Amino acid sequence: MNQLADERQSVPAVPAGEPREDQADLVREFVGTGREYYQRVFHKLGSRSGFRWSFNPVAALIGPVWYGMRGVWNWCMPFAVMETFSFIQIARGLFGDLAAEARNRMVSVQGTLDFRRQQLETAIENEAPNVDVFKRAIESLESGILELQQDVIRIEESAITVAMTGIGLLVLIKLVEGLLANTILERRFSDWLCDRTVAHGISGMRMGLSGFFFIVVVVACVMHYSFPGRFTLLVEFPTNPEYRLTAIDWVKQFFTWTVLKGEWFFDVITLGIRTLLDALEVVFVETPWVVIASFIVLLTWLSAGPRTAIWAGAFLAYMGLLGFWVKAMTTLALLGTAALISISIGIPVGMFCARRPRVYAVLRPIMDFMQTMPAFVFMIPVIAFFGTGKPAAIVTTMIFGGTPVVRLTVLGLRGVPEHIREAAIAYGASKWYLLRKVDLPLAAPSILAGVNQTIMLSLAMVVVASLIGAKGLGEDVLEALQYASVGQGILAGFSILFCAMILDQIVQGRRKGQ
């Protein structure tokens, strides 16, 4: 006990209001410049909870550039926009042409007035009966010009008010920037203590980038809004019509060459799609409706329970009684073909990419492109390669709906706890056994969610696919849109909805019940 008391007495006391030595070293490493100032400020801000007033004059002076060079971009961008708006108001009030739009309207009205006066002179010379009409039109135009002249005077007189408003707004923004700067930087310092990858110090690249961005934005906006229409470069992007025409020719030549050289490849794909589609159409369309309906109701019962099976039977009765049975089954055949191909390709691809990050990094931008590109755009090359009809509709549906199963398979397999895999490997599990008995069972909920999303997105393409020759319920909806047939469109739309609900319950019913 005496030794412990001696050690406590040997530790030098830290004066109140002064940062500890280790804290000071960390602050110096984080801020880079102004170390003594930020040591005092951080200690002041961290000494008690809640907001404490602190003003940073440098941050107030250079504004967004300070936030940018410190790496606080989420505050740099809003402050840059607000300061730009204030500079625009100041420039418009001091040397801008506020009344440019009113003058342009006055010039246009003056041209119309001159034309009407010529028409009046001609009508008087020819003793036309509409002389009074022209006189009234001229009087109205002259009155409009007088009003525009008054507007020009009033707008020009308001220039000083606009400039003062901009100055007041700029001062207010500068005060806010200075007041928030130290608090924001202190919170960023706390984040940096937990995660050293957080940007710290002052980077020359960040300073140059933020300064260049701010100057370009301010100058361009001030010149554009102060002198509207004077600088063509700021109004229209510099281009040449020949660029687009040349690009169109290149794209056309590429597709022509691809179609000629790869005709056999596209024929093989079309044959495979057509074979599977014909088989499913035989099952769904040509099989007696009693068999198909019973099978769907039974499958729904086994997957989601008796109550859901009753609803599925009601939905099927709705489609049958309203005459949508054949088209609904045709839709399911198209959907089944697209979904089966997408799932049979997507799950193995996801399994392959789950343990190969580099492969998935290459594949992910391709999937992003497939999902973000509008369906009507990628329908164009599909038609060029496969023509119109059901195979082209299935390929279009696969492009749009095939990516979720890959993404969620990768997500599910990567989410398998490593300690479980390590335990299985320690007991001598082979790669194949590990995949079948550990990875896939644990990733099954995520994989089923991917299957469900693929089926739902494929069903969402029913109407779009009908544009290129796909039959089914989408054809009824498309006709309803073309001929404004509200009743037909609503009834067919409910049929599509019911198909989606039945499929969703069949695929996800057991997982939802767990």
Side-chain angles (χ1 to χ4, degrees):
M1 294 294 292
N2 294 332
Q3 182 180 1
L4 180 60
D6 294 340
E7 289 179 356
R8 288 179 178 176
Q9 292 176 359
S10 64
V11 177
V14 179
E18 293 294 332
R20 299 195 315 270
E21 186 67 25
D22 54 347
Q23 182 81 0
D25 293 338
L26 292 172
V27 171
R28 284 195 293 268
E29 181 182 355
F30 174 76
V31 297
T33 60
R35 299 171 181 175
E36 300 297 330
Y37 169 77
Y38 286 113
Q39 287 176 20
R40 294 193 303 271
V41 169
F42 286 4
H43 181 72
K44 174 184 175 182
L45 295 176
S47 60
R48 74 175 60 168
S49 60
F51 181 80
R52 300 197 65 182
W53 295 101
S54 176
F55 188 80
N56 190 321
V58 178
L61 180 63
I62 61 178
V65 178
W66 184 91
Y67 286 88
M69 70 186 188
R70 289 291 182 182
V72 192
W73 293 104
N74 56 331
W75 288 93
C76 171
M77 305 290 283
F79 283 137
V81 173
M82 290 187 285
E83 284 199 14
T84 300
F85 179 75
S86 62
F87 280 122
I88 290 172
Q89 297 301 99
I90 296 171
R92 290 176 70 237
L94 294 180
F95 53 85
D97 190 359
L98 295 176
E101 186 177 355
R103 288 197 186 92
N104 292 334
R105 290 202 307 268
M106 191 166 59
V107 170
S108 177
V109 174
Q110 184 64 46
T112 305
L113 178 60
D114 295 337
F115 179 68
R116 295 301 183 192
R117 284 172 177 170
Q118 294 176 1
Q119 289 181 324
L120 176 61
E121 293 176 0
T122 303
I124 293 174
E125 291 176 359
N126 297 331
E127 297 180 355
N130 56 350
V131 173
D132 293 337
V133 176
F134 288 120
K135 288 181 178 179
R136 289 194 297 270
I138 290 172
E139 291 175 358
S140 177
L141 291 172
E142 289 176 346
S143 176
I145 288 178
L146 291 176
E147 292 179 359
L148 287 173
Q149 290 175 346
Q150 294 174 359
D151 289 342
V152 169
I153 295 173
R154 187 179 67 255
I155 292 172
E156 289 178 345
E157 290 177 350
S158 66
I160 187 64
T161 304
V162 174
M164 293 303 297
T165 302
I167 292 173
L169 181 61
L170 181 62
V171 172
L172 178 61
I173 295 171
K174 292 293 185 182
L175 289 174
V176 173
E177 290 171 345
L179 289 172
L180 294 179
N182 290 333
T183 302
I184 293 173
L185 192 61
E186 195 272 338
R187 291 177 180 174
R188 192 172 183 85
F189 171 66
S190 300
D191 296 337
W192 176 77
L193 292 176
C194 301
D195 182 8
R196 295 306 175 92
T197 61
V198 174
H200 64 283
I202 295 179
S203 168
M205 184 186 69
R206 292 198 301 266
M207 181 185 300
L209 182 61
S210 58
F212 176 78
F213 167 78
F214 183 64
I215 292 173
V216 169
V217 169
V218 170
V219 172
C221 291
V222 165
M223 300 303 292
H224 175 68
Y225 289 105
S226 300
F227 306 99
R230 186 174 300 181
F231 301 97
T232 307
L233 181 63
L234 299 177
V235 178
E236 298 179 357
F237 195 93
T239 185
N240 190 326
E242 293 296 328
Y243 298 160
R244 185 172 64 177
L245 296 176
T246 303
I248 290 173
D249 290 337
W250 288 353
V251 172
K252 187 184 299 184
Q253 293 173 6
F254 170 76
F255 276 99
T256 301
W257 178 83
T258 305
V259 170
L260 291 176
K261 298 296 183 179
E263 184 176 4
W264 64 271
F265 176 72
F266 300 117
D267 288 342
V268 171
I269 295 177
T270 302
L271 178 61
I273 292 174
R274 175 62 68 180
T275 302
L276 180 58
L277 177 61
D278 291 342
L280 290 179
E281 284 186 342
V282 168
V283 173
F284 285 104
V285 179
E286 299 185 10
T287 303
W289 66 268
V290 177
V291 177
I292 297 298
S294 302
F295 177 77
I296 293 175
V297 171
L298 178 60
L299 191 60
T300 308
W301 185 308
L302 296 175
S303 178
R307 182 178 301 177
T308 307
I310 294 173
W311 281 108
F315 295 156
L316 294 173
Y318 169 89
M319 290 183 279
L321 292 174
L322 294 182
F324 291 119
W325 181 264
V326 175
K327 292 186 177 180
M329 295 301 105
T330 303
T331 299
L332 289 178
L334 287 167
L335 169 65
T337 303
L340 284 174
I341 298 176
S342 298
I343 293 168
S344 61
I345 295 175
I347 292 179
V349 170
M351 293 166 56
F352 182 80
C353 295
R355 306 300 175 190
R356 296 169 178 82
R358 294 183 179 179
V359 177
Y360 189 60
V362 175
L363 189 62
R364 187 166 49 195
I366 300 175
M367 294 191 297
D368 293 339
F369 172 80
M370 292 166 61
Q371 282 194 301
T372 55
M373 179 66 70
F376 292 99
V377 176
F378 58 69
M379 280 170 61
I380 298 172
V382 169
I383 293 173
F385 295 145
F386 297 96
T388 58
K390 293 181 179 180
I394 291 172
V395 172
T396 304
T397 304
M398 289 169 54
I399 294 174
F400 182 75
T403 56
V405 67
V406 179
R407 295 182 186 275
L408 290 174
T409 299
V410 173
L411 181 64
L413 291 174
R414 288 184 175 179
V416 175
E418 284 297 326
H419 65 276
I420 296 178
R421 302 185 79 251
E422 291 174 358
I425 294 173
Y427 278 100
S430 62
K431 291 184 177 180
W432 178 244
Y433 184 90
L434 186 67
L435 177 65
R436 288 189 303 110
K437 299 298 184 178
V438 178
D439 291 342
L440 289 180
L442 293 177
S446 180
I447 296 174
L448 283 177
V451 171
N452 176 263
Q453 290 299 306
T454 293
I455 293 174
M456 293 300 106
L457 289 177
S458 299
L459 192 60
M461 288 290 292
V462 167
V463 179
V464 177
S466 64
L467 292 171
I468 54 177
K471 304 294 182 180
L473 295 172
E475 190 176 22
D476 286 74
V477 177
L478 183 61
E479 289 180 358
L481 290 173
Q482 292 174 341
Y483 300 107
S485 178
V486 178
Q488 176 181 338
I490 294 296
L491 294 177
F494 273 113
S495 297
I496 297 174
L497 171 64
F498 293 153
C499 288
M501 293 175 66
I502 293 173
L503 291 172
D504 178 66
Q505 291 300 322
I506 290 174
V507 176
Q508 297 278 58
R510 186 179 299 278
R511 193 172 70 90
K512 289 180 180 179
Q514 291 177 350

